[in-house]
């Protein structure tokens, strides 16, 4: 936990540049989430520059929410450039399992890039692990039972930090495993909260290359922001104002909020 | 009207998966509009998966707001997959008439896909009907005179429900025709309210395959949300807060709001 | 200054159609910014229609924030179509200098299109001028020292109005040069405020073809809106509500706000 607070405090000095190759639905939200937390977002998705941009970034977030064949190729280019420089790669396997193309693309990515952190919902992580999964579209259809065990096992297998998001999140690097109980159900009523969580993880991982702490910190930040956003809602307010308050909360998050609010069990 | 209320009440159980092949300007708004109403959005626009995703969805929304040649091809693939499974297709002919490419693409789509519902502004629907139209960019430049007659005629011709949005909306399936007088002028000060209306129609059509009711319900929901959003604006507030209140209204819409507020004439 | 007020007052009648070929991260914000100020946005980025759409627009905004090889080609097509008709072209050289591809693409654009206005941050404008620049991603890493001189010099060389945005903005057409001291640091905590500034310039330039005044007016409008947005923030509010208030301010901006608030030095 102390290491999460330290990581948080270092963002301000580092102002990590978080490169994204991501989907077109939520990229604006992701950019604003990175800025709110104190990072600097960049999104360059041409094969002509993705690798060059990745090589000068603090971290690289790969998100397959809207995927084309060419995109997979440039993810590989950018991911390899990041790997060569020791820049952490965060992989958000959006909708894996829903179509053969996504599942195949995820396999190709994992086979060719060393991902530091993989963060998805239960159906996505089950699909990555080769287990039957019942996701629909980009939503999870599986219960969180056994999330910690699955995260730990897959982390060992893929040599990466695995984060499974849900009502209670599980994060494991194969040796250490934690449960995070922060968050609010209204987060599910907005598109892109999963994508934004990965972008926040990108900010932490780009501040210092500590994948396990970065994954937990990113999930915690989103969870606490969701809780705070909900607390500031007035009667009659709904998804519109919740989204506004979420960004308010992210941009005013203080280390004290983390210390007071974190519900993490080792 | 009773059937609209029933449709609305069934969303919660069904949580329809609404697949979009849509423009990049407003797709985030469309995703959030679907979520606000209780549906689940998905946007997969690769030729490698668009049809596979469509086949497992509750409805398919095709929107040509930003169009490429490849996009038309994958709209055809996805549309045919939906048609084969009896999944309703909603077509939003954004900017038809403004360029030859859009007009030609719309023709190709209509010739190859059975669309359950087509919803656009007066200039767009006139262009589809082969009438002179004076749209500029993606905005209508034509008066709403004769909207009901045009909707009815084109509905018969295309064997689809036709909805024409404007100050007073017209919806017809060729046999039944209604006018909807809900809405607020400030809706025109936001981008994507037309696109979002089609996405809301997608939620209703994906809940139960009743195209006429679904089209009327989607337009009504957007109109009522616009009215409520405006009522909640404080002095000095403008387009920014109106947008927030619009999503608040969509996500808190109750069947009582529909019953009290609907101004639909058969 | 008087000419800026006149320009502002004419927007309402003209309702300029502002065509964008722009990046996918901030295009929704740009569309809403154009609407808030009283213009009409359109974004058509297919090679099949970009030129046809440009030729019927009031102004064309070219933004290279997310760039592909094909995009450069269609920017050339659309830019030439605009040039032929005397429609002003605004060029936002996002991230120029950060990758070779962006620098090369910007050169190609400037060599083939007559841009009326070029508006970027200090690192971007330095890169365009062939000076060493230390931008990171899409952010400036250079001080604003000498901005006015640089703007003036480059304006003369490129025969365009050059605007350099920063804490104090500089605008020059080679003969006239002004400094604009409006704005608020929180504008940097949102993605797309630079892109939106170019879109606002597009509204002014599309109202009347006065590049120098249009550039100053667009920057002034964004600066004043940022100041007003900040004034309306309550304690505990952050980036989320600042964004809402920014659009509120843009959509309620009155000529009196400009007259009272403008801090422009000739």
């Amino acid at each position: 936990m102390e290491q999460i607070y330290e990581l948080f405090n270092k963002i301000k000095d580092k102002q990590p540049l978080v490169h994204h190759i991501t989907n077109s639905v939520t990229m604006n939200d992701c950019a604003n989430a990175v800025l709110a937390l104190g990072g600097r977002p960049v999104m360059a998705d041409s094969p002509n520059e993705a690798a060059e941009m990745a090589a000068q970034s603090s971290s690289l977030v790969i998100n397959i929410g809207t995927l084309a064949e060419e995109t997979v190729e440039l993810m590989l280019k950018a991911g390899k450039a990041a790997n060569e420089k020791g820049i952490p790669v965060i992989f958000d396997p959006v909708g894996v399992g829903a179509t053969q193309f996504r599942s195949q693309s995820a396999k190709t990515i994992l086979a060719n890039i060393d991902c530091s952190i993989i963060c998805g919902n239960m159906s996505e992580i089950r699909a990555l692990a080769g287990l039957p999964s019942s996701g629909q579209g980009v939503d999870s259809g599986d219960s969180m039972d056994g999330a910690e065990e699955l995260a730990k096992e897959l982390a060992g297998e893929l040599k990466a930090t695995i984060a499974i998001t849900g009502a209670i999140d599980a994060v494991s690097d194969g040796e250490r495993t934690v449960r995070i109980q922060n968050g609010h159900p209204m987060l599910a009523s907005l598109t892109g909260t999963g994508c934004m969580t990965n972008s926040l993880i990108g900010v932490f991982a780009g501040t210092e290359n500590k994948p396990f702490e970065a994954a937990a910190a990113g999930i915690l930040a989103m969870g606490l922001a969701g809780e705070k956003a909900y607390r500031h809602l007035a009667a009659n307010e709904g998804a519109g104002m919740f989204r506004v308050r979420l960004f308010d909360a992210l941009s005013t998050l203080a280390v004290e909020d983390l210390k007071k609010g974190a519900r993490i069990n080792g």
Side-chain angles (χ1 to χ4, degrees), chain A residues 137-213:
Chain A
V138 296
D139 297 310
S140 180
D142 293 285
S143 96
M144 289 295 282
D145 293 352
E148 287 166 82
E149 294 72 19
L150 176 58
K152 187 177 173 181
E153 201 179 296
L154 194 61
E157 195 184 307
L158 297 177
K159 306 202 182 319
T161 289
I162 303 293
I164 310 180
T165 55
I168 298 178
D169 316 289
V171 181
S172 179
D173 66 358
E175 306 201 339
R176 296 169 292 172
T177 303
V178 292
R179 265 180 310 158
I180 305 178
Q181 306 203 46
N182 294 94
H184 191 274
M186 276 194 81
L187 287 167
S189 70
L190 289 185
T191 191
T193 48
C195 305
M196 285 188 258
T197 299
N198 275 276
S199 293
L200 298 180
I201 293 173
V203 174
F204 285 107
T207 297
E208 204 169 346
N209 198 343
K210 296 186 170 178
F212 178 72
E213 287 80 3

Side-chain angles (χ1 to χ4, degrees), chain A residues 98-133:
Chain A
T99 66
Q100 292 180 22
F101 175 56
R102 275 179 206 230
S103 301
Q104 192 52 55
S105 300
K107 253 186 214 166
T108 305
I109 288 167
L110 290 180
N112 288 282
I113 303 173
D114 290 327
C115 297
S116 295
I117 302 161
I118 302 166
C119 172
N121 65 36
M122 192 60 169
S123 291
E124 291 159 354
I125 300 297
R126 285 181 66 89
L128 285 188
L131 299 170
S133 93

Side-chain angles (χ1 to χ4, degrees), chain A residues 21 48 50 52-53 101 143 164 182 198 204 246 249 257-258:
Chain A
I21 303 177
N48 294 310
E52 191 181 348
M53 195 67 96
F101 175 56
S143 96
I164 310 180
N182 294 94
N198 275 276
F204 285 107
L246 186 67
D257 298 322
L258 273 66

Side-chain angles (χ1 to χ4, degrees), chain A residues 33-81:
Chain A
V34 167
L35 283 163
L37 201 60
R40 289 171 300 155
V42 67
M43 276 100 175
D45 57 3
S46 161
N48 294 310
E49 60 171 1
E52 191 181 348
M53 195 67 96
Q56 57 189 279
S57 299
S58 313
S59 62
L60 170 65
V61 177
I62 291 178
N63 172 311
I64 59 168
T66 53
L67 197 59
E69 213 149 344
E70 314 80 71
T71 321
V72 180
E73 285 167 40
L74 73 93
M75 285 171 173
L76 297 186
K77 276 192 192 183
K80 284 174 186 171

Side-chain angles (χ1 to χ4, degrees), chain A residues 7-27:
Chain A
L7 211 46
F8 182 85
N9 284 326
K10 284 178 186 166
I11 294 173
K12 211 173 184 171
D13 278 341
K14 174 80 181 206
Q15 295 183 275
L17 188 66
V18 184
H19 186 208
H20 292 69
I21 303 177
T22 189
N23 72 74
S24 39
V25 185
T26 67
M27 62 199 313

Side-chain angles (χ1 to χ4, degrees), chain A residues 5 8-9 224 228 252-262:
Chain A
Y5 306 147
F8 182 85
N9 284 326
L224 287 169
K228 193 173 174 184
T252 58
L253 204 63
V255 75
E256 288 71 35
D257 298 322
L258 273 66
K259 288 185 182 173
K260 265 197 297 189

